[in-house]
Every structure is written in C-alpha cells, then in structure tokens.
Amino acid sequence: MIRLDNISKQNGHQILFIEASMGLQKGEKVGLVGPNGAGKSTLFRMIAGEDRPDDGQVLIDTGMTIGYFNQDVGEMSGQSAVAAVMDGVGPVSALAAEMATLEADMVDPAKADDMDAIVERYGEVQARFQELDGYALEARAREVLGGLSFSQERMDGDVGLLSGGWKMRVALARILLMRPDGMLLDEPSNHLDLESLIWLESFLKNYEGALLMTSHDREFMNRIVGKIVEIDGGSLTTFSGNYDFYDQQRALNEKQQQAQFERQQAMLFKEIKFIERFKARASHAAQVQSRVKKLDKIERVEPPRRRQSVQFDFRSPPRSGDDVVGFRNVHKGYGSQSIYEGLDFQVRRKERWCVLGANGAGKSTLLKLVAGETAPDQGTVTLGASVRMGYFAQHSMDLLDGDETVFESLDNSFPQAGQGALRTLAGCFGFSGDDVEKTCRVLSGGEKARLVMAKMLFDPPNFLVLDEPTNHLDMATKDMLVAALAEFEGTMLFVSHDRHFLARLSNRVLELTPEGAHQFSGGYTEYVVSTGQEAPGLHPG
C-alpha cells in the first residue's frame, strides 16, 4: 500500500535517512518513534508528497487517498467549525455553502425579481447535495466534533475565533471525516483532554485503513498500534508489537549488543597484545602475520547508541503542616454559569490528588483558586502552615524572558547554585551541550515547558500544583518526570490527560461532575476499576 524503498535524505548538514526501507499495509496501525529531530515529520511529508527523498523511492498504490494531520494547521476563519471540517471532503462543502447563500437570497426582498432563478438553482444544488449524502455528512461532522469535545455552540461559531488548540481539533476532525485509505497523524493526542483522547482511541481502533502515527502518550500508542517503526541513526527498524513491547525489545537488543561488543573488545585486546609481544621475534613471524590478517577481516561490533536519559534527583523539600489546603463552602461561577456550589475539599500532607472532570467542569479553576490566581465568589480557600507551593500552569511558559538564554534563566533564578549544578539540571530536562545557549524566544513549546519545570523543581516546594504538566513533553522527558515525581516527598494536586501519569502518581481522585464533586480514596487505577470508566461521563467502549 505504502512502501519506502532505500530512501536517503539530508537536511543541510544533517543526514536523516541512509538507504532506509519500510512498508505499511491496509489495516495496519503503526507507531513511528525516534528522538526529536530524527526525521519523523520529514518521513510524513515524503509520504504525503510534500517532500522528496534525495535517493530511493516512495511508492503508493494508485488511487490511494491519504489524509495528513500535522501541528501546523494554517489559517482558518470566516466559516463555522462544522463547515471547516466538511471542507476537507471536497465538493459537498461547496454545495452546502451555496445552499446557505441561496437560502439567504430567498428571504431577501431586494432579490424578489430573481426569485424564480434562485429557487430553480436551489433545487439543483439541493438535489446534488442529497445525491452526495450531504445531510448525513453534516451529521457525521457534528458527531466527530462532538467526540473531540465541541459543544453545539462551538461547532456553529466562527472557527477563526478559536484558540490554537481548538483549531488543531478542527484540522484533526477534517482528516477523520475524510476516512481516507491511509492516515498520517503527527501527534494527534496533543491538545486533547482525556474524554477526547478516549473517543479518538476508539475511532482509530475501528478505522479500517492504514495508519501511521506519532504520539508522546504511551497509553494511547499502546492501545492502537500493533507495530512500531523506529528511526535511529538514519535507518528504519520495524518491531512487531505495541510501544511497551518495543521498549522492552530495544532494551534487550541494546544489552545483547553491549555484551557482544565487550566480548569482541576482550578478544581484540588479547590478539593485539599477542601481536605486540611477538612481532619482533622471527620464530613467531608466521603466527603474528596470520593474526594480523585475521584482525583485518573481523567485522567490528559497534557499541549500542546510548539514549540520553538523565535522572533528576529531588532534594528533600521542607516539611509542611498536615493540612495543606482547605476549601470551605466554596462557590464559583463565570457570568451565569455556576462551577462550584458549596465545595468542601481538604488536601492533607503527602496526598496526591488528580482532578478529573469533563471540559468546563472547573479543573483548572480549582488549581487557580489554590494558587490564588482567582478568588472564590463565596467561601474560603486556606493554605496550611509552612506550605511552599510550586504552581505550573499553561501560561507559565509565557512568563519566561525571551532575551535570556536557557542557562541565564536558570542562573538568574538560582544565583547561588554554581555552574556545574545548573548544567546538570539543564541536562536532566533535555538541554545538553549548546542547547543551554538558546534564547527562550526560540524555544519550542516542549522546551519552554521543560525549562519552567526545571526551575520549579530545582529548589523543591513541598506542595506541587500542576495543570497538564506533560503537554508538549516527549516520551523520554515524560518518563523522567514521572520517575522523579514518584520519589517526591511532598503533596501534589494535578490535572492531566496522560493516563500513565495519572496511574503512576495519584493516590486520591477528585471527580468534578454537574451533580457536584466526588472524592475517591484510591488513585486513578482504583477509580477506573470502581467506576468502570476512564473519565467522568464516559463508559468503556
């Protein structure tokens, strides 16, 4: 169906692929993995026809339709979200737009003289719209947008007024509605809440075409793909199985390669020692010559390429009092919309609360109330004795000084720390070598999130309040963060759509529903078992 044959590709001085090959068959669901900058997006663009290999061929079956979703959504405005989604399906959306114009003309007194022609044209357009199953298509477009958490109001509103994250969902919905023969999805799980993520998972499981996707969400990847293609050092290697299987297999392969490398090094050392010792003796000349020839013929085993994974070690935070934060009879609303009515909630030392709730349930508002970024309309939110809070919000990244380098930003926050300690800190959060000299202005979303997180955790508070801390983070940084937070001795309150993060770190669940807040004394895993759902209001498919 899709085949890459011996492709080579270079970007400037960087070699991305050297005679690399892979195939993708109908019905296969494949995860594409590799470190940042390895060439994942380039590979997608080559399959989509937006880029070409320098050498080799990209072969796609004749007549095959391909839908390509990436993070660059382009300009969208002047139409509703539904119309923008239907736009991707071709002539149907143009007919829908013409019908809307003709409907407006029919009630316009200024066009009374042309009414016969307008009605006749409307009949033609409507007949063609019905022929192409246009009414069913609009219903399907609304269903897909609903799955991605759009309210009816948002579906019919101007797409140009939506934030970047919601526009991303419109672009994704467009591809899903197309139902092409092949889908290329570059990070489709970014910007989605837990409910949308679970809906998308179910949609993709039932999709019958060929799927190639990247995702930094381990759980999402595990449940969808049955094969992994890894980009590493210019080559493409295929592993059968999900992401966890690939992770174990790769670790095993590296271990075996390391053992092989060490055995060969020991053998080479012995041979070279023999040659050095006897090369000057005529009596051993034949033996020395034969060993030199043997060494020349041996194919050298390369040591495994070491993945950069630096572990972050927490310093012990100062101890807080037993009562960390308390909500008493809290009421909060925006305009006519009430979010909490009489919320009572208590966080105690060493508890790790994850906050679950559908869009608009008030998850981020709860964290803002704790952080003092907003005030309750009624009732009190009280921080306990000796509580030092670290608050990570989505806007935290906007507070970085664009002119400072990564290193200057860390140094200005911790002038007493010393160069070595700060470089180690930067390395833990993925800034190695010259990366520390980048200015904050040029950092990607993921790099900014890593820098803010590094600054927050270096001199650790005893109470972490985290709003979607893993957005933008790649799998390796996310794994490092989860491992570090698992060792954290303080208290946590967080919102996340990453189920691996939720399951590993929570020991309490606060579920916000229209009927009020429900508290569970176990963590996310126990919540799923006891409610039979992975998110409020959703039941397993």
Side-chain angles (χ1 to χ4, degrees), residues 174-194:
R174 191 182 272 188
I175 305 294
L176 301 180
L177 186 68
M178 270 172 73
R179 291 234 172 204
D181 302 321
M183 272 203 262
L184 310 174
L185 302 181
D186 196 357
E187 291 296 342
S189 51
N190 274 6
H191 303 285
L192 295 186
D193 52 64
L194 190 52

Side-chain angles (χ1 to χ4, degrees), residues 31-49:
L32 184 64
V33 301
N36 281 342
K40 297 189 289 289
S41 297
T42 303
L43 187 126
F44 277 140
R45 285 199 302 274
M46 288 193 290
I47 295 173

Side-chain angles (χ1 to χ4, degrees), residues 8-11 14-18 20 37-39 42 231-235:
S8 296
K9 179 74 178 171
Q10 193 165 338
N11 266 355
Q14 191 190 9
I15 295 170
L16 294 176
F17 299 104
I18 309 161
T42 303
I231 306 178
D232 194 13
S235 62

Side-chain angles (χ1 to χ4, degrees), residues 388-401:
R388 271 184 56 195
M389 183 177 8
Y391 175 46
F392 178 89
Q394 291 308 300
H395 63 75
S396 305
M397 283 101 83
D398 305 335
L399 305 177
L400 294 168
D401 182 338

Side-chain angles (χ1 to χ4, degrees), residues 254 257-258 261 265 301-306:
E254 283 182 3
Q257 195 178 341
Q258 182 67 29
F261 172 73
Q265 289 299 304
V301 175
E302 292 290 320
R305 251 188 297 274
R306 286 269 168 250

